[in-house]
Amino acid sequence: MPKVVTGFYAVCKGREIGVFTTWDEAQSHVQGFPGAKFKKFKTLPEAEQWYKTNLPQRPANPQPTTTTPSTSTVSASNVVPRSSRSVGVSPVRSKPSPTTVPKLVPQSVPRVVAPTPAPAPVQLPRIAAPKNTTVEIVYSDGACKGNGGPGAVAGIGVWWGPNDPRNLSERCPGGQTNNRAELIAIARVLETVPKSTNTLIIRTDSQYSQNALTKWCLNWRKNGWRTAGGQPVTNKELIDYTLNLIETRHRSGQPVRLEYVKGHSGDIGNDGADALAVGGCNLPEIPERDWVGLKNAYNAVPDIMADFADIDPADFILSDEDLMRELEEDF
Amino acid sequence: MPKVVTGFYAVCKGREIGVFTTWDEAQSHVQGFPGAKFKKFKTLPEAEQWYKTNLPQRPANPQPTTTTPSTSTVSASNVVPRSSRSVGVSPVRSKPSPTTVPKLVPQSVPRVVAPTPAPAPVQLPRIAAPKNTTVEIVYSDGACKGNGGPGAVAGIGVWWGPNDPRNLSERCPGGQTNNRAELIAIARVLETVPKSTNTLIIRTDSQYSQNALTKWCLNWRKNGWRTAGGQPVTNKELIDYTLNLIETRHRSGQPVRLEYVKGHSGDIGNDGADALAVGGCNLPEIPERDWVGLKNAYNAVPDIMADFADIDPADFILSDEDLMRELEEDF
RNA sequence: CGACACCCGGUCGG
DNA sequence: CCGACCGGGTGTCG
């Protein structure tokens, strides 16, 4: 008996969110939309059909053709940890392409999230992800030399592409453990990427981070942050803060997705992030950050973000060709 | 209060042995020389000075200029792997050099060991162990060209001394990996050495082998041969068989000790075993052995052992020349 | 019990 | 500089 693919449609105050193939996925992407409602369908096409026909005033999409530059082949050895990663000095960037990027009201329109690939054998005909969807893919990683030992040293790495100025290679603040580093790397992405309406895909090799931020958190928020064994969740404040960053993005119209990639499998992006994270271990110690305070500051944007405040993501978005190549990589 | 370095000088029948920093070390290296005498010094330099000036006919350190490029020094390449190592056929051993070599009682005489560099932070002299203890020292090593690759080829080497007929240079049976070769080399020692009451010291550069056969095995036997990560132990049968060989020795009154020596550190014995192991890689492929069956055969002695049943170890004591050369090697 | 990371140590090779 | 063969250990959760 063939499994039936089930589609969900999520709405929030008349604003579309997307179509999802699993309840968890939908749940995850709807966080921060208090009144979200779901409509369930037997088949994915049904859901998509309904979704399309019921969209509010969606502007007909202008083909965003070739978005750019070369950055020919992507190679790990190309990773350039910026030594000048310190403060200030916003890099002199070439003119941002005079392209559109329409100014929106702070309250921007959320974008569609592509359904998960679903590696399952047979598949009902899949609706292609909306062509106009623009995606930004970034890799995060944490490293921790001597993890578990007395003199452990941890670093975090964020990789967008070779020589991309948004790349990060930093020392992990506070407690030096692998999982904290992994988590903070993700938080740093969200702190440093200028907001846009592009779907933001953060790829991590830490199943712990992915689960903490998309699955386990659902339970934790209901049970007072208790582990299955009754213990308090270990990196509660950090996780809560990071969740807040994600939800803020969602609220302002930028879908954020956390994807798992296997570590040390020749994945170009993962290797790049790894190199940056390892490099971060060499930087001087820095004090713990006040995650609660940061969260309470709500939508306050950390200083570091100023570095990239004037960067147009369009300059660094993958070209269609690069994206294809990358997607093909893991078959 | 400054610690005092203590030096020992050991002699045996007018032949020098070396300088040692601890009593145990000296004791260990002099075992088998019934009449060994020790002279004690307050400082290591004192001992070394005395040792140097009191050497028997030592050539006045002639600038070792042209050290006869060919084979003069006892070097690994000098080792003669016996190709006729196969079964049965008790090899017609070439007459032991017509030189002296006084016939001794079957009580085999262990070989001389060069003085150890002694990095030790010093030790006060302790009470000597039972003087009558006799030790046999042997070096084992494994090699594996293209380790991890598809066409890997592994060999094993066992080194007792230059041209010692007990030396082994064989192709590794079954799976070709470095660790298996290392392990099997040790097993081969135990299979080929005639039983006696002499303490048998097997020196290996494989910490993996040493730990597997002396530490980890304790846990494995209690937890059902599970690795720390829950996976089954990799060379279980081989390890279990080898442990059985060791325990059989112990039961029959022969202590067996596994010692770790750093690889590629100019250690004469390790280099010799290495050469033999590398040579073993050139021999034709041989099938995997039935380790479980062998273990179940209990104390059955493999056929090959017959080869050495009638060998008098006294035939292979180092000549004075060999000893000199060996001593010169590590300064 | 399971999973994913993060390491530490040793050897063997190209 | 790279890789594979082999262990033990912690960080974290279900």
Side-chain angles (χ1 to χ4, degrees):
Chain A
M1 180 167 149
K3 277 241 174 189
V4 179
V5 178
T6 309
F8 297 97
Y9 176 69
V11 210
C12 176
K13 298 177 180 175
R15 177 179 301 151
E16 76 277 21
I17 303 298
V19 175
F20 310 93
T21 49
T22 72
W23 180 256
D24 278 351
E25 184 80 8
Q27 189 67 24
S28 147
H29 284 268
V30 104
Q31 281 170 19
F33 293 85
K37 293 279 188 291
F38 297 93
K39 185 165 170 55
K40 182 182 170 190
F41 296 87
K42 286 286 193 206
T43 68
L44 184 53
E46 261 178 61
E48 300 237 35
Q49 186 51 35
W50 189 89
Y51 173 73
K52 273 189 200 163
T53 57
N54 289 58
L55 283 184
Q57 68 307 356
R58 251 298 184 78
N61 305 303
Q63 266 295 6
T65 56
T66 74
T67 27
T68 66
S70 39
T71 63
S72 59
T73 61
V74 189
S75 138
S77 56
N78 255 357
V79 175
V80 187
R82 305 199 321 165
S83 56
S84 67
R85 172 60 53 207
S86 47
V87 224
V89 195
S90 96
V92 250
R93 301 186 304 91
S94 55
K95 228 27 221 151
S97 50
T99 49
T100 70
V101 188
K103 283 298 174 196
L104 300 179
V105 265
Q107 192 70 311
S108 59
V109 181
R111 300 193 60 286
V112 176
V113 178
T116 48
V122 189
Q123 206 71 15
L124 299 187
R126 176 80 54 84
I127 279 53
K131 297 290 281 200
N132 59 328
T133 306
T134 308
V135 191
E136 299 182 54
I137 299 178
V138 60
Y139 293 81
S140 71
D141 192 31
C144 183
K145 295 191 185 285
N147 189 25
V153 177
I156 67 104
V158 171
W159 190 89
W160 291 85
N163 293 326
D164 192 304
R166 291 168 298 180
N167 290 349
L168 296 181
S169 178
E170 301 173 346
R171 176 68 183 269
C172 175
Q176 308 287 297
T177 75
N178 64 328
N179 287 334
R180 268 176 54 86
E182 215 87 53
L183 236 19
I184 294 176
I186 295 171
R188 295 294 294 131
V189 170
L190 296 163
E191 286 180 344
T192 55
V193 185
K195 282 179 182 162
S196 74
T197 56
N198 300 333
T199 294
L200 178 60
I201 296 183
I202 304 176
R203 293 196 172 145
T204 176
D205 62 14
S206 167
Q207 228 164 71
Y208 161 73
S209 296
Q210 197 205 19
N211 286 328
L213 296 173
T214 64
K215 281 163 96 124
W216 301 335
C217 59
L218 304 179
N219 248 359
W220 291 340
R221 287 194 155 164
K222 286 189 283 196
N223 71 359
W225 295 83
R226 286 283 150 185
T227 200
Q231 259 60 36
V233 173
T234 297
N235 293 311
K236 170 180 185 295
E237 290 80 11
L238 170 56
I239 293 170
D240 202 24
Y241 169 61
T242 309
L243 283 171
N244 196 263
L245 291 178
I246 294 174
E247 286 159 9
T248 299
R249 295 267 169 179
H250 277 140
R251 259 193 295 276
S252 67
Q254 180 171 39
V256 176
R257 235 192 322 170
L258 270 171
E259 291 183 357
Y260 165 73
V261 291
K262 183 158 174 48
H264 305 113
S265 294
D267 185 304
I268 173 68
N270 183 257
D271 287 349
D274 179 72
L276 293 167
V278 171
C281 295
N282 299 326
L283 301 180
E285 193 174 350
I286 60 179
E288 173 69 327
R289 297 173 62 190
D290 176 15
W291 307 113
V292 218
L294 287 169
K295 182 198 169 188
N296 291 341
Y298 197 53
N299 60 0
V301 180
D303 295 346
I304 302 96
M305 199 159 156
D307 271 4
F308 303 109
D310 60 341
I311 286 189
D312 183 350
D315 289 355
F316 303 104
I317 288 178
L318 284 183
S319 70
D320 285 11
E321 301 78 35
D322 285 342
L323 179 56
M324 289 306 283
R325 266 196 292 276
E326 195 166 314
L327 290 176
E328 276 166 10
E329 276 208 347
D330 34 357
F331 294 78
Chain B
M1 181 168 146
K3 280 246 179 187
V4 179
V5 176
T6 308
F8 297 97
Y9 176 69
V11 208
C12 178
K13 299 180 181 172
R15 180 180 298 155
E16 76 276 18
I17 304 300
V19 176
F20 311 91
T21 49
T22 71
W23 180 258
D24 279 349
E25 186 77 9
Q27 189 66 24
S28 147
H29 283 267
V30 105
Q31 281 168 20
F33 293 87
K37 294 280 186 290
F38 298 92
K39 185 165 172 53
K40 181 186 166 190
F41 295 88
K42 285 286 193 205
T43 69
L44 185 53
E46 261 178 62
E48 295 205 281
Q49 186 52 34
W50 190 90
Y51 172 73
K52 274 188 200 165
T53 58
N54 287 58
L55 282 184
Q57 67 307 358
R58 251 288 182 90
N61 210 339
Q63 267 300 6
T65 54
T66 69
T67 24
T68 57
S70 60
T71 74
S72 72
T73 61
V74 178
S75 100
S77 56
N78 236 3
V79 177
V80 190
R82 306 197 326 164
S83 57
S84 67
R85 174 57 51 210
S86 49
V87 219
V89 195
S90 158
V92 255
R93 299 187 292 100
S94 59
K95 259 282 164 287
S97 50
T99 52
T100 70
V101 189
K103 280 298 176 194
L104 300 179
V105 268
Q107 186 76 312
S108 74
V109 180
R111 296 192 50 274
V112 175
V113 179
T116 48
V122 194
Q123 207 78 6
L124 295 190
R126 265 162 302 170
I127 306 315
K131 300 284 287 193
N132 57 335
T133 308
T134 307
V135 201
E136 299 183 50
I137 298 177
V138 60
Y139 293 81
S140 72
D141 192 32
C144 184
K145 292 190 185 290
N147 189 24
V153 178
I156 68 103
V158 171
W159 190 88
W160 292 84
N163 294 328
D164 192 306
R166 292 168 297 179
N167 290 349
L168 297 181
S169 178
E170 303 173 344
R171 176 67 182 271
C172 175
Q176 309 288 298
T177 76
N178 63 328
N179 287 334
R180 266 177 55 87
E182 216 87 53
L183 236 19
I184 294 177
I186 294 172
R188 293 294 294 133
V189 170
L190 296 162
E191 286 180 343
T192 55
V193 186
K195 281 179 183 163
S196 74
T197 56
N198 302 332
T199 294
L200 178 60
I201 296 183
I202 305 176
R203 294 200 170 141
T204 176
D205 62 14
S206 166
Q207 219 166 78
Y208 161 73
S209 297
Q210 198 205 19
N211 286 328
L213 296 173
T214 64
K215 282 163 96 134
W216 301 334
C217 60
L218 303 179
N219 244 6
W220 290 340
R221 288 194 156 165
K222 285 190 283 196
N223 72 359
W225 295 84
R226 285 282 151 187
T227 196
Q231 260 61 35
V233 172
T234 298
N235 293 312
K236 173 180 183 300
E237 290 79 11
L238 170 55
I239 292 170
D240 203 23
Y241 169 61
T242 309
L243 283 172
N244 197 261
L245 290 179
I246 295 174
E247 285 159 8
T248 299
R249 295 266 171 178
H250 278 141
R251 257 193 297 274
S252 65
Q254 180 171 38
V256 176
R257 234 186 330 163
L258 269 171
E259 291 183 357
Y260 167 72
V261 292
K262 185 156 173 50
H264 305 112
S265 295
D267 186 303
I268 173 69
N270 182 254
D271 287 350
D274 179 70
L276 292 167
V278 171
C281 295
N282 299 325
L283 301 180
E285 192 173 350
I286 60 179
E288 173 67 326
R289 297 174 63 190
D290 178 15
W291 308 111
V292 263
L294 287 169
K295 181 198 169 188
N296 292 340
Y298 195 55
N299 63 357
V301 180
D303 295 347
I304 303 98
M305 198 160 153
D307 274 2
F308 302 110
D310 60 342
I311 285 189
D312 183 351
D315 291 352
F316 307 103
I317 288 181
L318 281 186
S319 69
D320 283 14
E321 302 76 39
D322 284 343
L323 176 57
M324 292 302 286
R325 272 196 290 272
E326 197 168 313
L327 289 176
E328 277 164 11
E329 274 218 343
D330 32 356
F331 314 119

mmCIF file of all heavy atoms in Angstrom, chain A residues 293-315:
data_model
loop_
_atom_site.group_PDB
_atom_site.id
_atom_site.type_symbol
_atom_site.label_atom_id
_atom_site.label_comp_id
_atom_site.label_asym_id
_atom_site.label_seq_id
_atom_site.Cartn_x
_atom_site.Cartn_y
_atom_site.Cartn_z
ATOM 1 N N GLY A 293 20.162 38.893 27.761
ATOM 2 C CA GLY A 293 20.097 40.324 27.466
ATOM 3 C C GLY A 293 19.926 40.558 25.973
ATOM 4 O O GLY A 293 19.108 41.380 25.553
ATOM 5 N N LEU A 294 20.675 39.804 25.199
ATOM 6 C CA LEU A 294 20.585 39.959 23.753
ATOM 7 C C LEU A 294 19.188 39.627 23.261
ATOM 8 O O LEU A 294 18.627 40.309 22.401
ATOM 9 C CB LEU A 294 21.613 39.048 23.066
ATOM 10 C CG LEU A 294 23.062 39.501 23.190
ATOM 11 C CD1 LEU A 294 24.013 38.406 22.731
ATOM 12 C CD2 LEU A 294 23.282 40.761 22.364
ATOM 13 N N LYS A 295 18.637 38.570 23.835
ATOM 14 C CA LYS A 295 17.303 38.185 23.406
ATOM 15 C C LYS A 295 16.294 39.263 23.791
ATOM 16 O O LYS A 295 15.407 39.609 23.012
ATOM 17 C CB LYS A 295 16.905 36.861 24.047
ATOM 18 C CG LYS A 295 15.538 36.407 23.581
ATOM 19 C CD LYS A 295 14.952 35.359 24.491
ATOM 20 C CE LYS A 295 13.489 35.151 24.138
ATOM 21 N NZ LYS A 295 12.807 34.281 25.099
ATOM 22 N N ASN A 296 16.449 39.762 24.999
ATOM 23 C CA ASN A 296 15.502 40.775 25.463
ATOM 24 C C ASN A 296 15.607 42.058 24.661
ATOM 25 O O ASN A 296 14.637 42.800 24.537
ATOM 26 C CB ASN A 296 15.724 41.050 26.947
ATOM 27 C CG ASN A 296 15.310 39.844 27.772
ATOM 28 O OD1 ASN A 296 14.560 38.995 27.306
ATOM 29 N ND2 ASN A 296 15.809 39.777 28.993
ATOM 30 N N ALA A 297 16.781 42.297 24.148
ATOM 31 C CA ALA A 297 16.930 43.477 23.293
ATOM 32 C C ALA A 297 16.089 43.297 22.044
ATOM 33 O O ALA A 297 15.971 44.178 21.207
ATOM 34 C CB ALA A 297 18.386 43.701 22.939
ATOM 35 N N TYR A 298 15.576 42.057 21.954
ATOM 36 C CA TYR A 298 14.592 41.754 20.929
ATOM 37 C C TYR A 298 15.151 41.929 19.532
ATOM 38 O O TYR A 298 15.983 41.132 19.092
ATOM 39 C CB TYR A 298 13.380 42.646 21.139
ATOM 40 C CG TYR A 298 12.159 42.162 20.408
ATOM 41 C CD1 TYR A 298 11.719 40.859 20.575
ATOM 42 C CD2 TYR A 298 11.459 42.989 19.552
ATOM 43 C CE1 TYR A 298 10.610 40.393 19.905
ATOM 44 C CE2 TYR A 298 10.345 42.543 18.877
ATOM 45 C CZ TYR A 298 9.927 41.246 19.058
ATOM 46 O OH TYR A 298 8.831 40.784 18.385
ATOM 47 N N ASN A 299 14.751 42.950 18.889
ATOM 48 C CA ASN A 299 15.214 43.075 17.517
ATOM 49 C C ASN A 299 16.415 43.998 17.406
ATOM 50 O O ASN A 299 16.693 44.562 16.370
ATOM 51 C CB ASN A 299 14.105 43.574 16.610
ATOM 52 C CG ASN A 299 13.616 44.922 17.055
ATOM 53 O OD1 ASN A 299 14.121 45.472 18.037
ATOM 54 N ND2 ASN A 299 12.650 45.462 16.335
ATOM 55 N N ALA A 300 17.092 44.184 18.515
ATOM 56 C CA ALA A 300 18.307 44.986 18.440
ATOM 57 C C ALA A 300 19.345 44.242 17.621
ATOM 58 O O ALA A 300 19.521 43.050 17.763
ATOM 59 C CB ALA A 300 18.853 45.240 19.837
ATOM 60 N N VAL A 301 20.002 44.958 16.786
ATOM 61 C CA VAL A 301 20.979 44.317 15.926
ATOM 62 C C VAL A 301 22.382 44.511 16.493
ATOM 63 O O VAL A 301 22.802 45.628 16.743
ATOM 64 C CB VAL A 301 20.930 44.918 14.515
ATOM 65 C CG1 VAL A 301 21.954 44.230 13.630
ATOM 66 C CG2 VAL A 301 19.544 44.786 13.945
ATOM 67 N N PRO A 302 23.085 43.420 16.716
ATOM 68 C CA PRO A 302 24.439 43.521 17.263
ATOM 69 C C PRO A 302 25.330 44.426 16.421
ATOM 70 O O PRO A 302 25.122 44.569 15.217
ATOM 71 C CB PRO A 302 24.938 42.092 17.201
ATOM 72 C CG PRO A 302 23.713 41.255 17.190
ATOM 73 C CD PRO A 302 22.653 42.059 16.516
ATOM 74 N N ASP A 303 26.322 44.983 17.057
ATOM 75 C CA ASP A 303 27.219 45.914 16.392
ATOM 76 C C ASP A 303 27.847 45.330 15.145
ATOM 77 O O ASP A 303 27.943 45.968 14.111
ATOM 78 C CB ASP A 303 28.348 46.321 17.331
ATOM 79 C CG ASP A 303 27.795 47.100 18.499
ATOM 80 O OD1 ASP A 303 26.614 47.525 18.407
ATOM 81 O OD2 ASP A 303 28.514 47.284 19.465
ATOM 82 N N ILE A 304 28.303 44.101 15.301
ATOM 83 C CA ILE A 304 29.063 43.487 14.217
ATOM 84 C C ILE A 304 28.313 43.568 12.907
ATOM 85 O O ILE A 304 28.887 43.634 11.838
ATOM 86 C CB ILE A 304 29.378 42.024 14.531
ATOM 87 C CG1 ILE A 304 30.146 41.938 15.837
ATOM 88 C CG2 ILE A 304 30.168 41.401 13.415
ATOM 89 C CD1 ILE A 304 29.299 41.657 17.046
ATOM 90 N N MET A 305 27.032 43.566 13.026
ATOM 91 C CA MET A 305 26.214 43.560 11.824
ATOM 92 C C MET A 305 26.478 44.805 10.991
ATOM 93 O O MET A 305 26.277 44.802 9.788
ATOM 94 C CB MET A 305 24.750 43.507 12.208
ATOM 95 C CG MET A 305 23.879 43.046 11.076
ATOM 96 S SD MET A 305 22.353 42.429 11.697
ATOM 97 C CE MET A 305 21.323 42.670 10.265
ATOM 98 N N ALA A 306 26.910 45.839 11.629
ATOM 99 C CA ALA A 306 27.180 47.071 10.904
ATOM 100 C C ALA A 306 28.171 46.835 9.775
ATOM 101 O O ALA A 306 28.099 47.454 8.724
ATOM 102 C CB ALA A 306 27.714 48.129 11.852
ATOM 103 N N ASP A 307 29.062 45.910 10.003
ATOM 104 C CA ASP A 307 30.041 45.590 8.971
ATOM 105 C C ASP A 307 29.384 45.297 7.634
ATOM 106 O O ASP A 307 29.928 45.590 6.582
ATOM 107 C CB ASP A 307 30.849 44.368 9.368
ATOM 108 C CG ASP A 307 32.054 44.762 10.169
ATOM 109 O OD1 ASP A 307 32.191 45.959 10.454
ATOM 110 O OD2 ASP A 307 32.836 43.885 10.505
ATOM 111 N N PHE A 308 28.257 44.674 7.715
ATOM 112 C CA PHE A 308 27.630 44.202 6.490
ATOM 113 C C PHE A 308 26.347 44.955 6.181
ATOM 114 O O PHE A 308 25.647 44.616 5.247
ATOM 115 C CB PHE A 308 27.324 42.723 6.605
ATOM 116 C CG PHE A 308 28.535 41.914 6.916
ATOM 117 C CD1 PHE A 308 28.697 41.328 8.158
ATOM 118 C CD2 PHE A 308 29.535 41.783 5.970
ATOM 119 C CE1 PHE A 308 29.822 40.589 8.427
ATOM 120 C CE2 PHE A 308 30.663 41.040 6.249
ATOM 121 C CZ PHE A 308 30.806 40.453 7.483
ATOM 122 N N ALA A 309 26.087 45.971 6.976
ATOM 123 C CA ALA A 309 24.809 46.645 6.856
ATOM 124 C C ALA A 309 24.569 47.165 5.443
ATOM 125 O O ALA A 309 23.450 47.198 4.964
ATOM 126 C CB ALA A 309 24.715 47.790 7.852
ATOM 127 N N ASP A 310 25.636 47.547 4.794
ATOM 128 C CA ASP A 310 25.453 48.138 3.474
ATOM 129 C C ASP A 310 25.757 47.170 2.347
ATOM 130 O O ASP A 310 25.893 47.543 1.207
ATOM 131 C CB ASP A 310 26.342 49.376 3.339
ATOM 132 C CG ASP A 310 27.798 48.988 3.508
ATOM 133 O OD1 ASP A 310 28.040 47.904 4.069
ATOM 134 O OD2 ASP A 310 28.667 49.761 3.073
ATOM 135 N N ILE A 311 25.883 45.919 2.719
ATOM 136 C CA ILE A 311 26.179 44.935 1.683
ATOM 137 C C ILE A 311 24.900 44.458 1.025
ATOM 138 O O ILE A 311 23.936 44.145 1.705
ATOM 139 C CB ILE A 311 26.927 43.724 2.272
ATOM 140 C CG1 ILE A 311 28.370 44.132 2.574
ATOM 141 C CG2 ILE A 311 26.888 42.549 1.326
ATOM 142 C CD1 ILE A 311 29.242 42.973 2.941
ATOM 143 N N ASP A 312 24.930 44.435 -0.259
ATOM 144 C CA ASP A 312 23.778 43.919 -0.978
ATOM 145 C C ASP A 312 23.983 42.438 -1.215
ATOM 146 O O ASP A 312 24.880 42.039 -1.950
ATOM 147 C CB ASP A 312 23.656 44.641 -2.321
ATOM 148 C CG ASP A 312 22.421 44.161 -3.063
ATOM 149 O OD1 ASP A 312 21.813 43.161 -2.610
ATOM 150 O OD2 ASP A 312 22.071 44.790 -4.058
ATOM 151 N N PRO A 313 23.155 41.622 -0.593
ATOM 152 C CA PRO A 313 23.325 40.171 -0.723
ATOM 153 C C PRO A 313 23.375 39.741 -2.172
ATOM 154 O O PRO A 313 23.972 38.726 -2.501
ATOM 155 C CB PRO A 313 22.089 39.607 -0.031
ATOM 156 C CG PRO A 313 21.616 40.696 0.862
ATOM 157 C CD PRO A 313 22.017 41.987 0.212
ATOM 158 N N ALA A 314 22.757 40.523 -3.014
ATOM 159 C CA ALA A 314 22.720 40.134 -4.414
ATOM 160 C C ALA A 314 24.125 39.969 -4.974
ATOM 161 O O ALA A 314 24.360 39.203 -5.893
ATOM 162 C CB ALA A 314 21.966 41.166 -5.242
ATOM 163 N N ASP A 315 25.037 40.674 -4.385
ATOM 164 C CA ASP A 315 26.408 40.589 -4.877
ATOM 165 C C ASP A 315 27.021 39.224 -4.611
ATOM 166 O O ASP A 315 27.995 38.839 -5.237
ATOM 167 C CB ASP A 315 27.284 41.641 -4.187
ATOM 168 C CG ASP A 315 26.933 43.035 -4.686
ATOM 169 O OD1 ASP A 315 26.105 43.112 -5.608
ATOM 170 O OD2 ASP A 315 27.483 43.998 -4.145
#
